[in-house]
Amino acid sequence: MSLAPAPLPQNVKDQVSAVEWQTRVDLAACYRLVAMHGWDDLVFTHISAKVPGTDDFLINPYGLMFHEITASSLVKVDQAGNKRMDSPYEINPAGYTIHSAIHEVRHDVVCVLHTHTAAGVAVAAQKQGVLPISQQSLFVLSSLAYHAYEGVALNHEEKARLQADLGENNFLMLHNHGLLTCGGTIADTFLMMFIFQRACDIQVLAQNGGAELITIAPQILAGAKAMAAAVTKSAQGMGGALAWPALLRKLELQDPGYKS
């Protein structure tokens, strides 16, 4: 049995548009950055991005770890889950259910990022969910929805309930399951997950201390919601454009193979 990844189609860059190739490069970078931050879960969980100008989206080849993913290895599928280009890999069926559900109804969303981190699942298992105890939590709470656990996401009937629960929010906590962010750019979506994950890390650490927690005043929370609403309507989106170039510089130094 060979341990090498399956051979990929040749010259993918030459077979797609320039804008699709750039989306592939950015999405592959996002996968590598998720791995770099320790948010990956072997070959499980998934990140998708819409192919500009189409209803197709790109998602990870099922069987590759996140640090292995390249621009060429990403699988392009339509809304029905059919491959739009040859690939030796299939896609995660649960990933298809979740991502196709969101891309189907949220036309403002370019990227969807889903994780199963320990802290994320720990908070997702708490009835109160995200607590307003950190600055990071305020940004999450400004656009947070919850979705009840229905088992591994293989039932396509769950899609309608997931869509209804998410609504127009950009942060989704899947109870007993994990975290999800969606945004108008790959950069914004990654930054939102960074903030979401950090809020969960802080909450678990604070709870472990055993001391009474200080919650942020409701009027500050209300102000944060208004501030976040104003920011998301600006040209800077969630601010991912500010952090993304620096993240790519770090990735270039440590793990530049994503662009192939």
Side-chain angles (χ1 to χ4, degrees), residues 192-204:
M192 285 189 282
M193 183 56 73
F194 183 91
I195 296 168
F196 205 177
Q197 178 63 39
R198 185 58 57 88
C200 292
D201 290 336
I202 291 168
Q203 181 165 324
V204 171

Side-chain angles (χ1 to χ4, degrees), residues 29-253:
C30 191
Y31 274 101
R32 300 281 183 119
L33 287 166
V34 166
M36 185 181 293
H37 284 80
W39 305 337
D40 51 343
D41 185 18
L42 296 181
V43 300
F44 308 102
T45 78
H46 12 82
I47 317 169
S48 65
K50 289 285 291 290
V51 176
T54 76
D55 290 328
D56 301 335
F57 62 90
L58 302 164
I59 197 165
N60 50 311
Y62 203 16
L64 291 187
M65 297 184 76
F66 282 18
H67 74 273
E68 298 180 290
I69 290 175
T70 64
S72 295
S73 69
L74 291 161
V75 182
K76 180 163 63 172
V77 297
D78 61 19
Q79 278 292 326
N82 301 308
K83 292 182 192 177
R84 300 286 284 163
M85 288 183 63
D86 289 337
S87 172
Y89 292 97
E90 301 302 321
I91 64 171
N92 184 326
Y96 163 73
T97 300
I98 293 170
H99 291 257
S100 64
I102 297 173
H103 287 303
E104 181 179 18
V105 297
R106 287 288 300 273
H107 303 299
D108 60 314
V109 164
V110 168
C111 181
V112 180
L113 200 170
H114 172 49
T115 62
H116 296 160
T117 62
V121 177
V123 176
Q126 299 176 16
K127 284 188 176 182
Q128 291 179 295
V130 176
L131 299 174
I133 59 171
S134 67
Q135 181 166 274
Q136 288 83 355
S137 71
L138 295 187
F139 288 97
V140 174
L141 290 166
S142 70
S143 188
L144 176 63
Y146 294 90
H147 178 66
Y149 187 63
E150 299 188 26
V152 177
L154 300 175
N155 179 6
H156 287 190
E157 293 181 0
E158 184 180 356
K159 291 170 67 171
R161 292 184 288 275
L162 191 153
Q163 291 165 344
D165 288 339
L166 177 63
E168 297 302 313
N169 297 290
N170 292 321
F171 297 87
L172 181 66
M173 179 161 275
L174 300 129
H175 279 307
N176 310 102
H177 184 174
L179 309 180
L180 183 146
T181 57
C182 57
T185 67
I186 293 170
D188 277 353
T189 306
F190 179 86
L191 179 59
M192 285 189 282
M193 183 56 73
F194 183 91
I195 296 168
F196 205 177
Q197 178 63 39
R198 185 58 57 88
C200 292
D201 290 336
I202 291 168
Q203 181 165 324
V204 171
L205 286 170
Q207 291 170 323
N208 284 345
E212 184 177 356
L213 301 179
I214 302 170
T215 57
I216 295 171
Q219 63 268 28
I220 298 177
L221 175 58
K225 289 181 179 180
M227 179 184 66
V231 169
T232 56
K233 292 178 183 177
S234 73
Q236 290 293 331
M238 287 295 296
L242 295 173
W244 191 249
L247 287 164
L248 292 183
R249 289 194 298 271
K250 183 176 182 178
L251 194 58
E252 283 294 318
L253 290 173

